[in-house]
Amino acid sequence: MAHFILDERLERDSVSIARLGLSDVRLAKDSRWPWIILVPQRANVSEIFDLEADDQAELAREQARIGHLLKDMTGASKINIAAIGNMVRQLHVHVVARFEGDANWPGPIWGHGQPAAYDEQAFETLKAKLQKALAA
């Protein structure tokens, strides 16, 4: 069985904040949107349909859980969930809180502007809030 290795771009652009049954829960370092990335801990998987049926169901549950959490925590107008993977082939699912009037609303977040780094305190505060909610 192949060993899971996190793609270096996901490692660089996000921080692990929790672990669910299947996925590493990662907070994106881009402050323009509250943005979680779920990375299923399975080697050599690039598409959701590459997962075993049980893992597909677990990933769907995890996406819903994170989507609910972000919507409740942020009051977002909309939660965007996508597994695109054109730049990073390793399977990962973006769960992004969107707000009317945010950067590029109502357009997609991809290809818009440049990432904006968090203030360190703001990042740590959001991280702790998410971790507390996930532990509940």
Side-chain angles (χ1 to χ4, degrees):
M1 178 179 238
H3 178 70
F4 176 83
I5 300 171
L6 182 65
D7 182 275
E8 65 184 33
R9 186 165 171 172
L10 292 171
E11 177 76 27
R12 182 186 68 232
D13 295 345
S14 62
V15 172
S16 180
I17 62 168
R19 178 72 193 265
L20 299 177
L22 175 65
S23 301
D24 182 18
V25 180
R26 304 186 65 83
L27 177 57
K29 294 179 181 177
D30 188 345
S31 68
R32 295 175 296 168
W33 303 278
W35 181 352
I36 298 292
I37 302 169
L38 296 173
V39 184
Q41 302 292 282
R42 298 294 183 262
N44 304 319
V45 175
S46 61
E47 308 293 347
I48 292 172
F49 57 77
D50 291 337
L51 294 170
E52 298 294 328
D54 288 346
D55 284 347
Q56 289 178 33
E58 181 61 23
L59 182 58
R61 285 188 291 273
E62 292 175 356
Q63 290 174 57
R65 180 176 179 196
I66 296 299
H68 281 292
L69 184 148
L70 276 181
K71 187 145 192 167
D72 290 346
M73 195 157 80
T74 66
S77 305
K78 182 74 174 91
I79 298 296
N80 293 174
I81 299 176
I84 298 173
N86 294 340
M87 303 274 295
V88 175
R89 299 293 174 149
Q90 183 174 60
L91 179 59
H92 61 288
V93 178
H94 302 272
V95 185
V96 185
R98 298 295 307 275
F99 305 87
E100 291 184 32
D102 73 18
N104 208 39
W105 177 268
I109 64 172
W110 289 275
H112 175 75
Q114 294 296 316
Y118 276 93
D119 165 88
E120 187 175 339
Q121 182 59 47
F123 186 84
E124 290 302 319
T125 298
L126 179 57
K127 177 180 160 185
K129 192 174 179 182
L130 287 163
Q131 288 173 321
K132 182 177 180 180
L134 285 166

